[in-house]
Amino acid sequence: MATIRLGDKAPDFTADSSMGTINLYDYLGDSWGILFSHPADFTPVCTTELGTAANFKPEFDKRNVKMLALSVDGAASHNEWIKDINEVQKTTVNFPIIADEDKKVSTLYDMIHPKADSNLTVRSVFIIAPDKSVKLILTYPASTGRNFYELLRVIDSLQLTAYHKVATPANWEHGNDVVVSPAISTDEAKEMFTKGVEEIKPYLRMTPDPTA
């Protein structure tokens, strides 16, 4: 089982889901993707997460990000669980949940960590770019729910830095100043970033968010 690292190609797969058979690459098409796993159906933290994910779907849609969840239970179980999620979270789950009963996808993505639990997946998150490269990997323990505001923030950063020669500083949010890439000189930066460049140190130059 190979470990997936940043920049690797996300392994393709075809699997059953709550919305029928899904092929990862076909499903994502030219979009960004977020794949997140859950230890099992009918678990409390996951119920809150999937409801939150459904409520956040318009924000992911705005960013051209397709959502895909995974649990090691079957599609029939998923569909029963979705009824509970919709009820208690006052939402409609509007994205597929992969049925990974044979743990094929979990194994492919190294989502089972035996020292945490030998049967259930940890809370993994993979953000996948349109070229199918893996841009972010997060792993949460079973006891800690994910922060979807942080996932949106990271996607904003990934999309900004994919198309502009900048990086984002600590606690950055869309619209805040960004760091000029160390790969370009200050003179080049001043030509490139017409909103201005502040040189704090030769290696630390700030400029307003070019997309704001």
Side-chain angles (χ1 to χ4, degrees):
M1 178 175 59
T3 301
I4 298 173
R5 295 190 169 98
L6 296 182
D8 287 352
K9 205 85 159 172
D12 195 14
F13 60 81
T14 300
D16 193 16
S17 83
S18 58
M19 294 183 173
T21 302
I22 294 274
N23 172 265
L24 178 68
Y25 283 13
D26 290 345
Y27 175 72
L28 295 182
D30 295 326
S31 299
W32 289 70
I34 181 166
L35 169 64
F36 50 100
S37 59
H38 296 272
D41 292 358
F42 301 101
T43 48
V45 175
C46 297
T47 298
T48 67
E49 286 188 321
L50 284 167
T52 301
N55 288 329
F56 270 65
K57 188 172 183 293
E59 291 298 323
F60 286 105
D61 288 346
K62 262 197 272 186
R63 293 160 173 82
N64 190 31
V65 179
K66 290 188 175 174
M67 302 163 68
L68 191 59
L70 175 145
S71 167
V72 294
D73 294 311
S77 172
H78 288 354
N79 284 313
E80 287 303 310
W81 184 29
I82 285 168
K83 292 175 188 175
D84 283 0
I85 297 164
N86 291 344
E87 177 193 343
V88 301
Q89 296 292 296
K90 306 289 190 287
T91 191
T92 301
V93 173
N94 39 20
F95 53 87
I97 306 175
I98 293 294
D100 194 34
E101 288 181 286
D102 61 4
K103 300 184 176 65
K104 184 181 81 172
V105 180
S106 303
T107 303
L108 201 56
Y109 279 80
D110 194 19
M111 291 172 170
I112 295 177
H113 295 190
K115 289 183 180 176
D117 192 301
S118 58
N119 294 310
L120 304 179
T121 52
V122 290
R123 286 199 168 85
S124 298
V125 180
F126 296 88
I127 294 177
I128 302 166
D131 66 359
K132 307 302 182 286
S133 62
V134 174
K135 294 298 185 186
L136 175 129
I137 302 168
L138 281 172
T139 304
Y140 292 78
S143 56
T144 303
R146 281 166 272 228
N147 183 329
F148 281 82
Y149 292 104
E150 169 63 4
L151 295 178
L152 288 177
R153 190 190 77 87
V154 168
I155 288 165
D156 285 341
S157 172
L158 288 169
Q159 293 184 341
L160 174 67
T161 58
Y163 306 117
H164 298 274
K165 292 185 183 299
V166 296
T168 56
N171 295 335
W172 176 87
E173 293 180 355
H174 176 68
N176 292 355
D177 287 357
V178 295
V179 174
V180 175
S181 169
I184 60 175
S185 70
T186 299
D187 287 341
E188 286 177 294
K190 285 176 178 174
E191 286 183 24
M192 191 177 293
F193 301 112
T194 55
K195 294 178 182 178
V197 174
E198 179 190 4
E199 185 176 285
I200 298 165
K201 292 285 183 184
Y203 59 85
L204 176 57
R205 291 83 45 87
M206 304 296 293
T207 188
D209 183 339
T211 64

